[in-house]
Amino acid sequence: MLGWIDEERSMGGHFSGIYRKVQLKPLQWVKVPKSNGEGEEERPTEALMVLKYGGVLTHAGRKQAEELGRYFRNDIYPGEGTGLLRLHSTYRHDLKIYSSDEGRVQMSAAAFAKGLLDLEGQLTPILVSLVSKDSSMLDGLANASVEIKEAKARLNDIITSGPKTSGSSEKPWMVDGGGLPPNASELMPKLVKLTKMVTEQVKLLAKYEDEELAETSSYDVIPPYDQAKALGKTNIDVDRIAAGLPCGSEGFLLMYVRWRKLERDLYNERKDRYDITQIPDVYDSCKYDRVHNSHLKLEDLDELFEVAKLLADGVIPNEYGINPKQKLKIGSKIARRLLGKILIDLRNTREEALSVADLKSSQDHDSAVNETGNEDTEYHPKLNNRSDHNLKKRGSFTSEKSTDQDDDEDKETKYRLDPKYANVRTPERHVRTRLYFTSESHIHSLMNVIRYCNLDESLHGEASLVCDNALDRMFRTKELDYMSHIVLRMFENTEVALEDPKRFRIEMTFSRGADLSSLEKNDKEASSWHQEHILPVMVPERLQEVGSHLTWDNMENMIHPFAMPAEDFPPPSTPQGFSGYFSKSALVLERLANLWPFHKYGNTNGK
């Protein structure tokens, strides 16, 4: 992914901040008697400790995330961009942002929020105040580790078994290993050869750098890495590039370690064995250097990129299942909790809209009765009580015990506008936004369930949620780059009855994220992207035919078998690491007020 930099911390430097991770992987087990004397249990006797540094946002990653946030504000929400800001500043925009445990993902979420809400300042306070970490929902592949291992083993057999036919041309995504190049076995030796050639070039550059460091102070050649400064970077290091150094905080020695590791892991000469799981890493490394280090003019890098892309386009999607049914099984295990939360979000939105419509209908009825002079003065309190009863009767969208597990029981109503005092024409207007920032594995898994859920036996005969045209387009667009995103929007048609299934329509769109193909163009815009090392993020495209109508009932029926039920979600809890900021509601409001530029829109009337 182009939005972050991998760094080998074994070469020295700092191992601190939200980008660090320590993993313990058991290697050997032994059976011992249980403490209660009933049978035996396994305990680890040997473990591998992995210290992982996940990388930081590049200047390009930050700009891409902020720009996508601005696009959402101006284009995804109905009305002009300032309309969303007005809604947000008057408590009519219910926004919550969740992130996985990865530091670079959290900072991407903060950068997106900055663009979405037109905030100013550094990302750290935005992250602390607005982004909630939910590792149980957005991290990890443990639930599907066995199935993923089986898929990779089968994928390895397909690649190493020699040339093969491309399979069905009508629906190529239904074929085992669909998307793999037919000559994959011939491309592997070429990939290894080109990787060695690039590594040798970087080795020479690292040797030259090492000689320079021996002759002079290291700080005269490469400035010390400043993590705080790196977090605030929005522009490329012009001076480093002019001096012929790698972009960012990476030196030639670190760059060599990166390539040397890929060369070593990709092919074992002693065993004459390829490791296909390294193909995505080789491709990512090629892509990063083509975008950020093109000024180094590494020979053979472009050719290596083309070979790696052919293989990666086939390998990456198939690592999460080599056919649709296996993709569905793996996807439902990885994204089960996320799917359940999405259904909860949509259900909450629907229930709230119905409750507001119910309340508005009651108020309209009350007004009509008053005009006829048949209403007594004691009716208003009764109306309010009846409306409150209707909210509870519909499942209470404010009851977080059965819906949104991250809110207090009455939090949603506490900060809503009082129509009697609101200086807006539409105080009942309310937009609910839930944003989830996670890894590529979760995006693949979520998309696979959405695409192939109709193949489950319990839904036999149902049409896919995604039209054939979109299925084909997604099959041919295999790479999910930085800022890939899926957008689910619920629209309400107030012209139909409350009980009509067509009252609520679901629209799904999808974007593959950063568009690497833009670098191949020769126009002025592409030249600017080259200079700034930034790629444009593709706008989302529809997954349904124009004019089609996906109802909420149909959506819930199709996704429900693969989602975690609402009753299985744990009780509400303050996210770990944020207790100091989320324990008191008043403090949350105070911090948001300090972040929010109210002075820009505070005097706007109406809307």
Side-chain angles (χ1 to χ4, degrees):
M1 295 173 69
L2 296 179
W4 50 276
I5 311 171
D6 268 335
E7 297 198 32
E8 293 279 353
R9 308 316 286 177
S10 59
M11 301 304 297
H14 305 287
F15 188 73
S16 61
I18 63 174
Y19 302 101
R20 70 192 188 280
K21 179 179 287 187
V22 180
Q23 294 176 321
L24 286 173
K25 297 182 178 180
L27 299 179
Q28 293 187 10
W29 300 77
V30 64
K31 291 185 176 181
V32 298
K34 290 185 177 180
S35 56
N36 58 8
E38 299 179 359
E40 295 181 328
E41 63 180 1
E42 287 189 334
R43 290 184 180 177
T45 58
E46 184 179 335
L48 173 67
M49 177 181 285
V50 180
L51 305 180
K52 181 181 178 182
Y53 188 81
V56 301
L57 270 185
T58 64
H59 57 87
R62 174 171 176 162
K63 280 191 173 182
Q64 286 169 308
E66 286 188 30
E67 185 59 37
L68 184 60
R70 283 190 288 271
Y71 167 78
F72 265 62
R73 166 162 43 94
N74 294 320
D75 293 83
I76 293 296
Y77 293 86
E80 299 177 355
T82 55
L84 177 65
L85 298 180
R86 176 66 173 163
L87 284 172
H88 193 82
S89 63
T90 53
Y91 298 106
R92 292 177 294 161
H93 181 213
D94 178 6
L95 170 67
K96 290 183 178 62
I97 305 174
Y98 303 91
S99 168
S100 69
D101 194 37
E102 292 283 354
R104 61 178 181 268
V105 179
Q106 294 180 52
M107 297 308 293
S108 295
F112 180 94
K114 181 175 182 178
L116 177 69
L117 300 178
D118 195 24
L119 301 175
E120 298 176 356
Q122 296 295 315
L123 296 185
T124 303
I126 298 174
L127 169 66
V128 171
S129 298
L130 294 179
V131 180
S132 177
K133 184 178 67 175
D134 195 324
S135 48
S136 61
M137 177 167 58
L138 299 170
D139 271 327
L141 306 175
N143 292 335
S145 57
V146 174
E147 289 80 4
I148 290 177
K149 187 176 181 179
E150 292 174 354
K152 289 182 177 180
R154 174 68 179 128
L155 189 58
N156 184 75
D157 293 339
I158 295 175
I159 290 178
T160 57
S161 61
K164 58 190 72 64
T165 59
S166 58
S168 171
S169 58
E170 183 180 353
K171 291 185 177 182
W173 56 86
M174 298 296 293
V175 180
D176 281 13
L180 280 169
N183 61 336
S185 60
E186 300 171 4
L187 291 175
M188 287 302 297
K190 190 174 183 179
L191 183 73
V192 172
K193 178 182 177 181
L194 291 169
T195 300
K196 287 183 176 181
M197 295 171 69
V198 171
T199 304
E200 282 299 314
Q201 295 177 64
V202 179
K203 181 180 180 181
L204 293 177
L205 293 173
K207 182 180 179 182
Y208 174 75
E209 177 187 76
D210 192 45
E211 293 172 353
E212 289 243 323
L213 290 173
E215 295 176 1
T216 182
S217 169
S218 61
Y219 292 104
D220 293 336
V221 181
I222 302 177
Y225 176 68
D226 187 334
Q227 180 173 338
K229 186 178 179 181
L231 288 177
K233 275 189 174 295
T234 57
N235 299 309
I236 61 175
D237 294 302
V238 178
D239 294 338
R240 287 180 58 86
I241 293 175
L245 297 172
C247 181
S249 60
E250 186 180 52
F252 283 121
L253 185 58
L254 205 55
M255 187 177 178
Y256 169 65
V257 171
R258 167 162 58 92
W259 278 102
R260 178 69 182 96
K261 183 178 186 303
L262 291 173
E263 176 194 333
R264 183 177 63 247
D265 295 344
L266 181 61
Y267 176 65
N268 188 316
E269 293 186 5
R270 183 174 62 86
K271 296 182 179 180
D272 188 26
R273 181 183 301 168
Y274 298 100
D275 185 355
I276 64 169
T277 64
Q278 298 300 313
I279 291 174
D281 294 332
V282 173
Y283 173 65
D284 280 345
S285 202
C286 287
K287 184 169 56 177
Y288 176 83
D289 285 334
R290 284 190 85 208
V291 174
H292 295 285
N293 291 322
S294 60
H295 62 284
L296 299 180
K297 302 187 184 304
L298 297 174
E299 296 180 5
D300 309 303
L301 182 63
D302 288 345
E303 186 178 1
L304 175 59
F305 172 81
E306 297 299 330
V307 174
K309 180 172 176 55
L310 283 173
L311 289 166
D313 282 349
V315 168
I316 296 174
N318 283 293
E319 285 184 325
Y320 306 99
I322 61 170
N323 56 49
K325 287 193 174 183
Q326 193 177 46
K327 291 179 192 293
L328 178 60
K329 183 178 181 180
I330 293 175
S332 62
K333 288 195 171 187
I334 294 176
R336 180 173 180 263
R337 186 183 177 94
L338 177 58
L339 285 163
K341 185 60 169 60
I342 289 174
L343 289 185
I344 287 174
D345 294 337
L346 292 171
R347 191 180 301 117
N348 283 350
T349 303
R350 173 180 177 274
E351 293 300 317
E352 178 180 1
L354 288 173
S355 299
V356 170
D358 226 4
L359 179 61
K360 194 169 186 293
S361 176
S362 298
Q363 291 173 338
D364 291 342
H365 175 266
D366 176 37
S367 177
V369 172
N370 279 330
E371 287 178 4
T372 62
N374 294 328
E375 175 62 9
D376 59 51
T377 56
E378 299 299 321
Y379 185 76
H380 282 283
K382 296 179 182 177
L383 172 63
N384 290 335
N385 291 336
R386 184 179 56 154
S387 299
D388 291 341
H389 173 70
N390 286 338
L391 295 183
K392 295 176 182 177
K393 185 178 178 180
R394 289 194 179 277
S396 183
F397 63 86
T398 63
S399 175
E400 303 306 325
K401 292 180 180 178
S402 62
T403 53
D404 197 333
Q405 77 274 16
D406 289 308
D407 293 332
D408 297 326
E409 191 168 359
D410 61 344
K411 190 172 181 180
E412 300 242 349
T413 56
K414 183 179 290 186
Y415 304 118
R416 293 295 296 277
L417 284 177
D418 187 332
K420 294 183 294 184
Y421 304 102
N423 184 27
V424 290
R425 289 197 296 265
T426 56
E428 77 282 351
R429 186 183 179 197
H430 192 233
V431 174
R432 181 191 294 263
T433 300
R434 296 292 182 268
L435 299 172
Y436 298 94
F437 291 82
T438 184
S439 61
E440 182 183 4
S441 61
H442 268 73
I443 300 293
H444 274 291
S445 301
L446 182 60
M447 282 308 308
N448 285 338
V449 173
I450 291 176
R451 284 192 288 181
Y452 304 125
C453 59
N454 64 305
L455 300 180
D456 188 73
E457 293 180 357
S458 64
L459 298 170
H460 184 68
E462 294 282 352
S464 173
L465 293 174
V466 180
C467 66
D468 282 352
N469 181 44
L471 284 172
D472 183 66
R473 189 168 64 247
M474 294 174 68
F475 171 75
R476 300 182 188 283
T477 308
K478 303 172 187 66
E479 182 179 6
L480 304 184
D481 212 323
Y482 183 65
M483 282 292 131
S484 298
H485 53 279
I486 307 166
V487 181
L488 285 82
R489 294 197 291 177
M490 175 179 282
F491 295 92
E492 181 182 10
N493 182 2
T494 57
E495 301 299 320
V496 302
L498 293 178
E499 299 77 16
D500 194 322
K502 291 188 176 182
R503 174 93 181 189
F504 295 94
R505 172 176 64 88
I506 306 294
E507 179 185 280
M508 296 189 297
T509 56
F510 167 75
S511 167
R512 67 176 186 269
D515 180 24
L516 192 65
S517 64
S518 61
L519 295 181
E520 310 301 328
K521 301 176 183 177
N522 296 316
D523 55 20
K524 184 178 180 181
E525 195 174 23
S527 177
S528 174
W529 291 328
H530 266 293
Q531 292 176 1
E532 295 295 327
H533 299 183
I534 295 175
L535 301 179
V537 176
M538 300 296 291
V539 299
E541 301 178 8
R542 290 178 58 94
L543 296 183
Q544 298 128 333
E545 296 286 0
V546 177
S548 63
H549 196 103
L550 175 60
T551 66
W552 153 249
D553 292 339
N554 189 22
M555 172 81 176
E556 183 180 39
N557 179 59
M558 298 283 281
I559 298 297
H560 179 75
F562 313 99
M564 177 182 285
E567 57 268 19
D568 288 352
F569 277 83
S573 60
T574 302
Q576 184 179 1
F578 295 91
S579 57
Y581 297 94
F582 288 87
S583 58
K584 300 294 183 182
S585 299
L587 186 56
V588 175
L589 290 177
E590 180 183 350
R591 292 184 176 276
L592 291 179
N594 291 334
L595 281 171
W596 181 252
F598 284 101
H599 61 279
K600 292 184 179 180
Y601 310 102
N603 296 325
T604 305
N605 292 321
K607 291 190 180 181

